[in-house]
Amino acid sequence: MKEHLGELPHYLQIKEQLQARITRGALKAGDKLPSERELCAIFSTTRVTVRESLAQLEATGAIYRADRRGWFVTPERLWLDPTQNTNFHRLCQEQGRTPRTELLSAEKTAVPLDVMQPLALEPSDLIYLLRRVRYADGRAICYCENHCLPQRVPELLNQDLNGSLTEIYQQRYNLIYHRMHLSFYPTALPYAAATALGAMVGLPALLLRRLNYDQHGRILDFDIEYWRHDSLRIEVDTL
């Protein structure tokens, strides 16, 4: 049957009903949604329509899909003020969240071309490259590549890199993050980031590129971070 002029398509009606349940608190952060088959029965529709509704909600950040586990209501976003000097673990703890960092790989390697200029290095120079995943309350929300300078942090790969680099730098090397140059913009998850986060390639993401300086004004390292688009909000107070 043709829809009347002005009537919402069925998939948008389903989206609005699910959003209303989330807004009212009938579905809370972290709750699992009914399966797609159950939603088809609840709304008397096809799986194609249900999937379009879920995709619309995912695009707004209201829900997310966990690989092979189904759909869940998205937790509240972490908020970040890039003008403040903090680290991921402290940021989570200050907002009542439980942080965890997992090291995927660590190696001494040639400097990648896209970070050569920020780090003021030559093609023959070597760096420590760390690939890590950050979790908030058990959910993977950020894939990070840390590009560290061996001459600044010798033997870094011998340290436990499943925690805060900030603390390692300060306690082991007496180096303190003092200021940064930060750029961020929306993008899509590339393969490496999507695989690490258990998400689909091409999903929306926020890309942060951060050049860090120590307390002496010297370049310390360069970070590239892919955040799930529903996990972070950025707020800045200006004078």
Side-chain angles (χ1 to χ4, degrees):
M1 179 182 290
K2 239 181 188 179
E3 291 170 345
H4 296 298
L5 187 64
E7 183 180 337
L8 282 177
H10 198 192
Y11 74 90
L12 289 179
Q13 295 178 34
I14 296 170
K15 173 201 169 189
E16 289 200 348
Q17 290 185 53
L18 290 173
Q19 181 63 69
R21 296 182 188 186
I22 295 171
T23 302
R24 292 197 310 267
L27 287 169
K28 298 180 175 60
D31 282 354
K32 189 175 187 295
L33 272 65
S35 69
E36 292 182 3
R37 178 175 296 183
E38 290 170 324
L39 289 172
C40 288
I42 292 170
F43 294 107
S44 301
T45 191
T46 65
R47 184 162 290 190
V48 171
T49 300
V50 162
R51 285 179 175 170
E52 180 61 27
S53 305
L54 296 172
Q56 291 279 325
L57 281 171
E58 182 182 35
T60 68
I63 64 173
Y64 70 95
R65 185 174 185 175
D67 200 21
R68 295 186 294 276
R69 293 175 53 217
W71 293 90
F72 294 82
V73 179
T74 306
E76 184 177 356
R77 298 170 186 262
L78 286 171
W79 65 266
L80 171 69
D81 180 350
T83 66
Q84 300 299 310
N85 188 16
T86 188
N87 62 68
F88 176 74
H89 283 242
R90 189 187 309 152
L91 185 73
C92 282
Q93 292 163 353
E94 289 173 349
Q95 297 176 45
R97 311 289 287 277
T98 301
R100 179 165 69 88
T101 296
E102 177 186 347
L103 178 68
L104 300 179
S105 65
E107 60 179 331
K108 191 173 187 179
T109 185
V111 58
L113 291 177
D114 60 337
V115 301
M116 192 180 303
Q117 187 272 334
L119 289 174
L121 296 177
E122 300 295 330
S124 58
D125 289 328
L126 300 178
I127 61 161
Y128 292 138
L129 174 56
L130 317 180
R131 297 181 177 91
R132 307 192 302 164
V133 178
R134 291 169 172 168
Y135 296 79
D137 298 330
R139 181 188 180 216
I141 61 172
C142 176
Y143 168 74
C144 181
E145 294 181 350
N146 306 105
H147 305 82
C148 311
L149 300 173
Q151 64 270 31
R152 306 300 316 283
V153 286
E155 307 300 326
L156 177 66
L157 301 190
N158 293 333
Q159 307 301 312
D160 180 4
L161 301 172
N162 290 289
S164 168
L165 274 184
T166 302
E167 295 178 2
I168 293 175
Y169 282 3
Q170 186 169 356
Q171 296 171 7
R172 171 78 180 179
Y173 302 101
N174 195 30
L175 293 171
I176 299 172
Y177 285 112
H178 184 66
R179 66 181 180 91
M180 71 182 77
H181 175 77
L182 177 69
S183 66
F184 52 90
Y185 49 87
T187 186
L189 286 176
Y191 177 80
T195 301
L197 297 175
M200 291 182 60
V201 174
L203 277 181
L206 184 65
L207 173 60
L208 272 68
R209 295 168 61 90
R210 180 167 43 219
L211 181 63
N212 298 300
Y213 296 83
D214 66 15
Q215 69 270 36
H216 308 294
R218 297 176 296 181
I219 293 174
L220 189 49
D221 58 20
F222 185 72
D223 301 330
I224 298 176
E225 301 175 354
Y226 289 91
W227 292 77
R228 296 187 67 125
H229 79 291
D230 57 12
S231 66
L232 187 69
R233 74 181 193 269
I234 295 175
E235 298 183 7
V236 179
D237 289 322
T238 60
L239 298 176

